[in-house]
Amino acid sequence: QLYLYTYRPSTGKVAFIKIEIEKRSIYILWKDMWTPGWKIEYFEHRGDPYFLSYKSTGEISLDRIRSDGTYQRMWREVLRGGYEYTYIPVSYISCLTFNVFHDVIKNPVKSGRWQKQVESISKLSPDIICLQEAYDENLRNLYVSNFSDNFYIYEASPSRRTQIFGKFLYHTLTFLLVIIIQSILHVISSIVASTSLLNMINFFVLYATLNIYAFFTGNLERLWQFFSGSSSGLMILVSKSIGVPIKYHQRLFGYQDGDFLNKIKPRGIQILSLNSGNHVFSIANTHLNTGVENPSRINQIKEISEYFSPNRYPTILCGDFNAHDIQPEMKWLLTDGGFTDSWLETTSDPGYTWDNENPLTVGLLKEPDQRVDYILYKDGEEIGIEIDKCELVFNREPYLSDHFGVFSFISWRR
């Protein structure tokens, strides 16, 4: 099928027509009557067709054609007469921030949840991907192999303290599981007198416990990946088409109090600087302390602000901040910290990224619906940032994580 946008300048009649070639059918989706003298130019922006209509008297109109064939009037203005109009396409980049959810209870490999993540993200085709909780080496390899045209960065080596604690915990839990199995068999043998019946019961108990053992050791393996993998769980993937990396560093926060996990998995921030060919810009990725209300987070927020003060180049800051936008630390970051929230720039919707309707949120954390995942930005000295669009992704079944993703289109301005 194809679409035709028809216009008769002498009368002002316009129509949008869908043609289904195989059916040899023509459908008039809509028609309208404008005043004569209009000129119409067609262009595409983010895959959507647009029509820019104008006339010498100064009237100008922009219409977007939706996928169902209907049109949306973006704006219509009347300027002074005599203008000549030229369409200049705006260069933009797309950015995704997403907490992948390192679940140690339900196996994301067997369920295919991680595989579905990369398939869904591939369809979005973001230029920048910022991931949190990417502790597992298998998960990181999955992303690297599926986004082979991207630069990627992550911290692969944990601290020595984390490795020692992880080995101790892993082997201790495995040893306790074996002791439990032996105790069950010992209790049964002391109760049952018949040798044949005892052997039969022992067989079924052993069969059941081996399955339980396999289940738990599978989870213990993911627990081990948590300790043996990346300390921060942060990962950035960047399309090679938007720039060349010129500098990268990862910093651990000086303030690690307020979250017991920080003792073994200290939190921090990734900062990647790229040269786009026209200018330099930075991408930052972070994951802050947990808790609906956590006074310690303000210290990490202020450290982030210090990293980008002064801010010579435009910066995109992504991450799971674990804080709703009503929390004082987020208010501080968006005022004194100098950052702007791309979500608040484009919509008034609540934009909850932690939603209790999502079954994957059921577990250790019981928290209210809140917006904790952000794409923030800060202008540079000469180059600024504009947000063209910001939306939630992966917020419907099949759910891919306990968090929803945030996806934004970003353009540059001088």
Side-chain angles (χ1 to χ4, degrees):
Q1 64 184 25
L2 56 87
Y3 293 95
L4 293 178
Y5 187 84
T6 64
Y7 174 65
R8 180 177 291 178
S10 60
T11 62
K13 291 182 179 179
V14 293
F16 193 66
I17 299 169
K18 181 174 75 169
I19 300 176
E20 294 188 355
I21 299 174
E22 292 184 358
K23 295 182 180 180
R24 299 182 180 180
S25 302
I26 297 178
Y27 302 92
I28 298 178
L29 300 175
W30 52 264
K31 56 184 177 179
D32 205 344
M33 187 72 164
W34 294 359
T35 56
W38 287 87
K39 294 182 180 180
I40 295 177
E41 293 184 6
Y42 169 85
F43 62 89
E44 291 187 0
H45 184 54
R46 300 190 199 125
D48 291 332
Y50 284 79
F51 293 94
L52 179 67
S53 311
Y54 58 91
K55 61 188 299 187
S56 59
T57 57
E59 295 173 77
I60 183 168
S61 178
L62 181 66
D63 299 292
R64 177 172 72 93
I65 310 303
R66 299 190 183 99
S67 58
D68 61 358
T70 60
Y71 81 101
Q72 175 187 6
R73 174 63 46 79
M74 305 300 291
W75 48 261
R76 189 166 189 174
E77 298 286 348
V78 179
L79 308 175
R80 289 189 303 171
Y83 280 96
E84 292 291 333
Y85 300 102
T86 302
Y87 168 67
I88 302 175
V90 177
S91 125
Y92 69 91
I93 58 174
S94 55
C95 179
L96 169 71
T97 183
F98 187 47
N99 183 318
V100 299
F101 184 28
H102 183 89
D103 190 353
V104 297
I105 304 300
K106 298 176 182 177
N107 193 325
V109 177
K110 289 184 178 179
S111 67
R113 181 168 62 80
W114 284 345
Q115 180 62 42
K116 292 174 185 175
Q117 283 181 10
V118 295
E119 291 172 358
S120 298
I121 294 175
S122 295
K123 292 177 183 178
L124 280 181
S125 190
D127 297 309
I128 301 168
I129 305 171
C130 290
L131 304 178
Q132 302 86 43
E133 293 195 19
Y135 303 112
D136 195 296
E137 183 181 1
N138 297 316
L139 176 130
R140 295 195 300 269
N141 290 339
L142 181 64
Y143 273 85
V144 169
S145 61
N146 279 271
F147 296 97
S148 56
D149 291 334
N150 288 38
F151 298 110
Y152 60 89
I153 54 171
Y154 59 81
E155 182 195 18
S157 301
S159 66
R160 181 65 177 167
R161 178 176 59 181
T162 300
Q163 287 183 318
I164 294 172
F165 182 83
K167 287 181 180 179
F168 172 77
L169 183 62
Y170 176 77
H171 291 297
T172 300
L173 291 176
T174 305
F175 176 75
L176 290 175
L177 191 59
V178 172
I179 295 298
I180 291 171
I181 294 172
Q182 289 181 336
S183 300
I184 293 173
L185 294 175
H186 178 73
V187 169
I188 292 174
S189 62
S190 64
I191 295 174
V192 180
S194 171
T195 303
S196 58
L197 181 60
L198 175 62
N199 290 336
M200 185 181 297
I201 293 175
N202 281 346
F203 172 78
F204 285 109
V205 170
L206 184 60
Y207 176 79
T209 51
L210 284 175
N211 279 276
I212 294 171
Y213 177 79
F215 170 79
F216 276 105
T217 52
N219 290 322
L220 287 175
E221 178 63 28
R222 289 196 303 285
L223 186 64
W224 167 240
Q225 284 284 358
F226 174 79
F227 290 107
S228 64
S230 165
S231 287
S232 63
L234 300 175
M235 183 175 185
I236 298 177
L237 300 100
V238 179
S239 171
K240 296 177 181 178
S241 64
I242 69 167
V244 177
I246 56 176
K247 185 179 180 181
Y248 164 70
H249 57 279
Q250 178 158 329
R251 301 184 181 184
L252 297 179
F253 294 131
Y255 192 91
Q256 296 290 343
D257 293 337
D259 191 332
F260 74 94
L261 282 177
N262 298 357
K263 302 299 181 183
I264 51 176
K265 305 291 280 187
R267 298 184 185 269
I269 184 171
Q270 288 178 312
I271 304 172
L272 174 66
S273 298
L274 296 101
N275 189 334
S276 69
N278 298 318
H279 60 86
V280 174
F281 67 99
S282 297
I283 304 163
N285 184 24
T286 191
H287 191 184
L288 303 187
N289 282 358
T290 58
V292 177
E293 296 180 359
N294 192 330
S296 66
R297 259 194 310 259
I298 187 66
N299 298 289
Q300 296 172 344
I301 289 285
K302 289 184 176 180
E303 286 188 45
I304 291 175
S305 178
E306 290 174 3
Y307 297 156
F308 303 104
S309 298
N311 199 46
R312 183 178 178 185
Y313 304 115
T315 297
I316 303 165
L317 172 60
C318 300
D320 173 5
F321 287 71
N322 275 315
H324 194 17
D325 55 17
I326 62 173
Q327 295 301 323
E329 59 269 31
M330 294 307 300
K331 290 183 177 180
W332 187 93
L333 185 60
L334 299 178
T335 52
D336 296 0
F339 280 87
T340 303
D341 187 344
S342 61
W343 182 264
L344 297 179
E345 284 289 289
T346 56
T347 180
S348 59
D349 293 340
Y352 298 142
T353 57
W354 180 273
D355 190 328
N356 286 281
E357 292 295 319
N358 179 354
L360 294 178
T361 61
V362 178
L364 296 176
L365 292 176
K366 181 60 179 176
E367 297 185 345
D369 297 347
Q370 53 187 329
R371 186 164 69 94
V372 297
D373 301 87
Y374 298 85
I375 297 177
L376 310 177
Y377 67 90
K378 191 174 186 179
D379 292 338
E381 293 176 354
E382 298 181 358
I383 304 294
I385 291 176
E386 288 188 355
I387 302 298
D388 297 326
K389 183 180 181 180
C390 190
E391 61 185 358
L392 294 183
V393 291
F394 318 138
N395 56 337
R396 296 179 178 85
E397 294 183 350
Y399 294 107
L400 304 179
S401 171
D402 55 349
H403 290 244
F404 300 149
V406 181
F407 186 55
S408 185
F409 286 98
I410 298 166
S411 57
W412 312 111
R413 58 174 171 78
R414 291 189 178 274

